[in-house]
Amino acid sequence: MTTIIPLRVHHIPQVIALMDLGAPFIRARTHSDYWAYSALFSSTCPLGEVNGEVVGSVIAMRSQDNPEEIYVQDVMVHPEHRRTGITAALLGQVREQAVRWGCRRLWLTSEPGNAAAHAAWTALGFLNVSGDYEDNGVWVKKDFKGPGKDRAVYELLLSN
Ligand SMILES: CC(C)(COP(=O)(O)OP(=O)(O)OC[C@H]1O[C@@H](n2cnc3c(N)ncnc32)[C@H](O)[C@@H]1OP(=O)(O)O)[C@@H](O)C(=O)NCCC(=O)NCCS
């Protein structure tokens, strides 16, 4: 049974240990980054706990430039707990918060070649936004995050 809780400062070492298992698509950020997430926008940074262990994490943030949007920065589930619905539950929580705020769009990016991520986002209702080229059936925007940083972009439009 997975319990969904907000990111708090005391979880940070466990979150970093979890993210350290995420190569090649996820890398742990610094303690200071997670402190800021926990202090400034924990309501969009849910964790999934099983038997007191942090096994899933979503880091998301509401845009200040466009408050109708929430960007999902990182999604990571422990390899032994994948395909058990943890990402669905965590993103479901972020979506509920987005609806409470009247947001219109949840969006995220993933690296070309991350087939599990593509399968998860599409299963959860995200649309792969049309891009500059297709990679194994996935639309990718060239240089989206800067030179050489091509990304597949996904969005979930919310009607309030
Ligand atoms: C991508 C990732 C976050 C998915 O997390 P998850 O908790 O396993 O996803 P869920 O169990 O909620 O899956 C929901 C649905 O997505 C689809 N899905 C998820 N992973 C899938 C996979 N590897 N292959 C095919 N479909 C998949 C399924 O339809 C699944 O429902 P089902 O299990 O009932 O069939 C996880 O594989 C992961 O942590 N990967 C490493 C880190 C990473 O790449 N993060 C994304 C960076 S952008």
Side-chain angles (χ1 to χ4, degrees), residues 21-23 25-26 73-79 81-89 108-111 114-124:
L21 303 174
F25 297 117
I26 291 275
Q73 182 185 51
D74 285 326
V75 183
M76 173 66 191
V77 172
H78 190 289
H81 293 269
R82 290 182 189 162
R83 300 301 296 269
T84 64
I86 292 176
T87 291
L108 52 82
T109 71
S110 54
E111 294 186 36
N114 193 344
H118 176 80
W121 313 148
T122 49
L124 297 173

Side-chain angles (χ1 to χ4, degrees), residues 52-85:
E53 185 193 353
V54 174
V55 297
S57 170
V58 163
I59 303 293
M61 54 212 66
R62 188 178 189 183
S63 168
Q64 294 186 16
D65 291 351
N66 185 353
E68 293 199 335
E69 297 193 344
I70 290 182
Y71 174 67
V72 181
Q73 182 185 51
D74 285 326
V75 183
M76 173 66 191
V77 172
H78 190 289
E80 289 170 12
H81 293 269
R82 290 182 189 162
R83 300 301 296 269
T84 64

Side-chain angles (χ1 to χ4, degrees), residues 5 13 18 25 27 29 31 33-34 36 43 56 65 96 98-99 113 130 136 148 157-159:
I5 50 173
L18 173 66
F25 297 117
R27 283 159 295 281
R29 298 173 196 276
H31 187 105
D33 290 316
Y34 292 116
S43 58
D65 291 351
E96 281 173 21
V99 169
S130 177
N136 280 318
L157 300 181
L158 305 168
S159 49

Side-chain angles (χ1 to χ4, degrees):
M1 164 96 183
T2 307
T3 309
I4 308 294
I5 50 173
L7 172 64
R8 298 287 181 230
V9 173
H10 69 273
H11 297 123
I12 294 175
Q14 280 197 76
V15 172
I16 291 176
L18 173 66
M19 298 294 186
D20 277 339
L21 303 174
F25 297 117
I26 291 275
R27 283 159 295 281
R29 298 173 196 276
T30 68
H31 187 105
S32 177
D33 290 316
Y34 292 116
W35 171 82
Y37 305 154
S38 70
L40 303 181
F41 40 87
S42 63
S43 58
T44 52
C45 296
L47 301 177
E49 256 190 358
V50 172
N51 298 326
E53 185 193 353
V54 174
V55 297
S57 170
V58 163
I59 303 293
M61 54 212 66
R62 188 178 189 183
S63 168
Q64 294 186 16
D65 291 351
N66 185 353
E68 293 199 335
E69 297 193 344
I70 290 182
Y71 174 67
V72 181
Q73 182 185 51
D74 285 326
V75 183
M76 173 66 191
V77 172
H78 190 289
E80 289 170 12
H81 293 269
R82 290 182 189 162
R83 300 301 296 269
T84 64
I86 292 176
T87 291
L90 294 172
L91 287 178
Q93 175 113 349
V94 174
R95 180 186 177 145
E96 281 173 21
Q97 180 62 67
V99 169
R100 276 195 291 275
W101 280 331
C103 296
R104 298 280 174 181
R105 183 176 183 244
L106 268 184
W107 70 286
L108 52 82
T109 71
S110 54
E111 294 186 36
N114 193 344
H118 176 80
W121 313 148
T122 49
L124 297 173
F126 285 77
L127 288 181
N128 177 207
V129 178
S130 177
D132 299 309
Y133 65 92
E134 271 189 76
D135 179 336
N136 280 318
V138 177
W139 279 111
V140 178
K141 290 187 187 258
K142 193 165 167 38
D143 300 331
F144 186 75
K145 287 193 171 175
K149 296 192 180 299
D150 299 2
R151 291 291 185 272
V153 178
Y154 299 82
E155 67 178 9
L156 181 66
L157 300 181
L158 305 168
S159 49
N160 293 297

